[in-house]
């Protein structure tokens, strides 16, 4: 499953299920594991935030992360055009 598909599934579920949304905001790793079976490794920090109507969050990964994503053939890494399929 691609990162974009997973992100869209999580957002849709949060919009439809208020208890999932609250769990996602308070303990995102547990929420993803319980609801979707997605396991995030312990060494990865995961934060979920809710945008307000007049807010937009832009997350800029470190440059070394970009090179790692290219090596891992992640389709949404900068400079990549291939697609990841599930």
């Amino acid at each position: 499953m691609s990162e974009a598909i997973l992100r869209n599934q999580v957002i849709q579920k949060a919009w439809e299920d208020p208890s999932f949304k609250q769990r996602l905001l308070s303990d995102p790793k547990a929420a993803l594991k319980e609801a979707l079976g997605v396991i995030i490794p312990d060494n990865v920090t995961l934060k979920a935030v809710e945008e307000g109507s007049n807010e937009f969050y832009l997350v800029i990964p470190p440059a070394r992360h970009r090179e790692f994503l290219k090596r891992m053939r992640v389709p949404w890494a900068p400079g990549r055009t291939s697609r990841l399929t599930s």
Side-chain angles (χ1 to χ4, degrees):
M1 173 183 312
S2 74
E3 180 266 346
I5 291 171
L6 176 61
R7 181 180 53 231
N8 290 341
Q9 286 180 347
V10 170
I11 291 169
Q12 187 68 37
K13 183 157 182 65
W15 285 342
E16 295 171 353
D17 183 347
S19 63
F20 171 74
K21 177 181 169 182
Q22 287 308 311
R23 181 75 163 146
L24 185 64
L25 291 170
S26 65
D27 191 348
K29 286 185 181 185
L32 292 178
K33 183 178 179 182
E34 293 164 6
L36 303 171
V38 174
I39 298 172
I40 307 296
D42 290 338
N43 65 326
V44 174
T45 300
L46 179 62
K47 295 180 183 179
V49 296
E50 182 176 14
E51 291 179 349
S53 60
N54 294 323
E55 297 175 307
F56 177 76
Y57 295 97
L58 177 62
V59 178
I60 303 168
R64 70 180 194 283
H65 184 71
R66 179 182 62 213
E67 294 305 316
F68 171 76
L69 293 176
K70 283 182 184 179
R71 285 195 311 273
M72 296 302 294
R73 299 180 181 265
V74 175
W76 37 269
R80 299 230 21 117
T81 57
S82 62
R83 292 192 169 271
L84 178 66
T85 57
S86 57

